[in-house]
Amino acid sequence: MSQDDERLHRAFLTRVVEPGDEVCGRWLREVGAAEAVRRLVGDGEQPRGVTDKRWAGLRARAERADPERDLARARDAGVRFICPGEPEWPAQLDDLGDARPTGLWLRGHPSLRIWALQSVAVVGARACTEYGAHMAATLGAGLAERGWVVVSGGAYGVDGAAHRGALGAGGATVAVLACGVDRPYPRGHTQLITRIAQQGLVVGELPPGDHPTPSRFILRNRVIAALTRGTVVVEAAYRSGALVTARAAERLGRFTMGVPGPATSGLSAGVHELLRGEAVLVSDAADVAELVGDMGELAPDRRGPVLPRDLLDPGAGRVLAALPARGLAGAQEIARGAGTTEDDAVGRLYELRALGFVERHGDGWKLTRQAMISVRDDQGRR
């Protein structure tokens, strides 16, 4: 079966199967996407563990599914669809097992796989305090300034503050939504999510036009946890969805962190409960970077996993070539040298940072020591 056929079948299934459905996920793993679609639209045998009532519901959804229409609608909205096993698929999502997404719809230009290599989730209460919003924005900005991609859910409160902090620092951020990525939710964040799509990535499991539900918000959190190296919780009550993200991160073996708050605040009670367990107390971006970063992350001459320059796609290669051999350059200057927009240059720079080619220092970017060695080696071979 061709990759196009696999993509078509999985796009179909995102319209039929709810995110995080482990029973259907196991069935998909056992029979494959093509066979699952054949049984749903034909007169096939229902999966083990699926009741007659539920099977009838899945088949009713399948009757209305039109993946070619969904993919065409996505293209018109600047949205692409990726599947497990494709080059852009983040392999760490496979840690979710049968709860792994069937596929992901992406709005934005950067590579999700590359960005996810150097990413941290910042989540917390929707109805946060001024303290929570300040801490989330400060963490978002501080992590972005250190070259980290900030991942959150696009919601009001802590999520929005973290996204804005990263954007305000000229950094990279990813919003993982519980609805179709072509319809920003909440509506009050339409401008913010549109900006994220321009400078970063908007990600979702649901096809274009699909709406959020309470259960979809909860299940979305497992994707945030799995994508990132660690999750920071800033303000969360005992029953907060942010704690679901943190506990998913713990189960997946990711770092779990909490920002402490006043002992009298109910919005910090959930965070303090995490801190009494396996979570680590953090107070700023430096604490987070030190915990989740590679050994020696804070050292001046960090040596990253530099890949051969020839493996970079042309856009990333042009941005890399636009960096000066020595010293710092701003994103606007690099964009001019690469002949692209500033937003595209920022996205490429974060990809290059994840691959070990560049470092961010304040508002400037510079080649890593290993990248300069690579440049000299390339020039020596010519």
Side-chain angles (χ1 to χ4, degrees), residues 16-367:
V16 176
V17 177
E18 281 295 306
D21 186 331
E22 293 190 61
V23 173
C24 287
R26 183 194 66 220
W27 180 50
L28 179 58
R29 172 172 53 82
E30 290 172 349
V31 305
E35 177 63 14
V37 171
R38 188 193 68 78
R39 293 189 191 183
L40 280 164
V41 299
D43 196 19
E45 178 185 355
Q46 66 194 67
R48 290 182 293 112
V50 175
T51 64
D52 291 343
K53 182 178 179 180
R54 188 177 174 199
W55 182 241
L58 290 170
R59 285 172 59 83
R61 283 189 175 189
E63 288 178 1
R64 299 191 300 271
D66 186 345
E68 292 179 337
R69 180 190 61 198
D70 283 339
L71 289 168
R73 182 176 176 181
R75 283 193 296 272
D76 291 342
V79 173
R80 63 190 181 279
F81 182 65
I82 63 170
C83 302
E86 291 186 345
E88 196 178 349
W89 184 261
Q92 58 267 47
L93 289 178
D94 299 343
D95 293 347
L96 291 168
D98 290 336
R100 178 182 72 174
T102 302
L104 288 174
W105 303 84
L106 309 181
R107 183 178 165 205
H109 299 293
S111 165
L112 179 62
R113 180 181 69 85
I114 300 299
W115 269 26
L117 294 174
Q118 296 278 348
S119 65
V120 177
V122 180
V123 297
R126 285 179 171 82
C128 66
T129 65
E130 288 186 12
Y131 165 78
H134 169 75
M135 290 303 299
T138 302
L139 280 169
L143 287 166
E145 287 167 356
R146 287 166 172 78
W148 287 87
V149 177
V150 176
V151 179
S152 198
Y156 293 130
V158 165
D159 288 17
H163 288 307
R164 289 189 180 96
L167 291 170
T173 190
V174 175
V176 182
L177 304 186
C179 57
V181 298
D182 62 328
R183 50 178 299 173
Y185 187 90
R187 290 185 180 179
H189 272 180
T190 296
Q191 186 175 358
L192 172 63
I193 292 171
T194 300
R195 180 65 184 133
I196 293 171
Q198 292 169 345
Q199 189 169 319
L201 280 168
V202 180
V203 178
E205 296 179 75
L206 293 157
D210 225 339
H211 62 280
T213 64
S215 63
R216 288 172 172 178
F217 281 116
I218 295 299
L219 290 162
R220 173 274 309 272
N221 293 341
R222 81 195 194 288
V223 176
I224 295 175
L227 268 178
T228 54
R229 287 204 193 180
T231 293
V232 186
V233 183
V234 183
E235 290 196 326
Y238 279 123
R239 294 175 58 82
S240 171
L243 299 185
V244 175
T245 311
R247 288 169 183 143
E250 287 181 345
R251 288 193 301 272
L252 292 165
R254 311 294 198 260
F255 293 101
T256 307
M257 296 153 279
V259 176
T264 54
S265 172
L267 282 174
S268 290
V271 180
H272 295 164
E273 182 182 30
L274 283 176
L275 293 173
R276 286 194 292 271
E278 298 298 319
V280 177
L281 187 152
V282 294
S283 58
D284 57 23
D287 288 347
V288 177
E290 187 172 12
L291 183 65
V292 303
D294 297 325
M295 187 174 294
E297 179 79 25
L298 303 181
D301 291 325
R302 187 176 69 84
R303 292 174 177 265
V306 178
L307 300 183
R309 294 165 64 93
D310 291 343
L311 296 181
L312 295 174
D313 68 58
R318 285 192 294 272
V319 169
L320 182 61
L323 272 93
R326 296 192 178 279
L328 296 171
Q332 191 174 47
E333 178 187 348
I334 294 167
R336 281 198 301 269
T340 187
T341 65
E342 187 173 349
D343 283 347
D344 180 58
V346 168
R348 301 291 190 180
L349 286 165
Y350 274 85
E351 291 181 20
L352 293 167
R353 194 272 182 188
L355 296 171
F357 283 103
V358 302
E359 297 171 336
R360 178 169 174 171
H361 296 269
D363 292 331
W365 294 84
K366 64 179 289 188
L367 294 171

